[in-house]
Amino acid sequence: LMIHNAMGDRELPVYGDGLYVRDWLYVHDHCTAIWRVLEQAPPGEIYNVGGCCEKTNLEVVQAILARLGKSTGLIRHVKDRPAHDRRYATDAGKIMTTLGWRPSMTFDQGIIRTIDWYLANQKWLANVVSGQYQQYYEKMYGNR
């Protein structure tokens, strides 16, 4: 949402003061963690997957705007959700120590790759946000 909005010079809605902290992980790293568990972990074992990269929502939005050369004036603080958690923390220590998995990307590398992917795939994105994908899904699979 934030990348799409920034690309189109639309406001970026940020809950409350934007200081909610989340652990960020590049999607490919998340996939490699799942694959590592599938290949190497004993059946039934549970692992948390995290990027060891806590950032506030505001930091992430600012990184997106900086990469796209857009003004922070696009940020619009909106009313916070009720009972919104200030921080989601993930301890990925177990997967790192027992399976040797680690994120391969820093946040900065991952956000650049993510934004660049969206820039290179704007037609796909336009179809998704237009509702065309939802129409395709409904046609193919319907409500079952």
Side-chain angles (χ1 to χ4, degrees), residues 60-134:
V60 174
V61 167
Q62 290 168 338
I64 292 167
L65 292 170
R67 176 67 178 171
L68 294 171
K70 304 289 183 163
S71 166
T72 56
L74 290 175
I75 297 171
R76 179 173 56 93
H77 292 271
V78 298
K79 186 178 177 183
D80 203 358
R81 293 188 328 230
H84 196 173
D85 292 324
R86 270 316 247 192
R87 179 175 177 255
Y88 292 150
T90 303
D91 179 359
K94 180 178 175 182
I95 193 170
M96 292 179 179
T97 57
T98 62
L99 300 182
W101 175 88
R102 292 214 178 331
S104 67
M105 298 255 158
T106 65
F107 172 82
D108 291 334
Q109 292 167 325
I111 196 72
I112 287 168
R113 283 192 181 191
T114 302
I115 292 166
D116 289 352
W117 188 91
Y118 277 97
L119 288 170
N121 291 279
Q122 292 184 49
K123 184 177 178 186
W124 173 87
L125 180 58
N127 287 337
V128 170
V129 298
S130 74
Q132 188 174 8
Y133 174 77
Q134 199 60 43

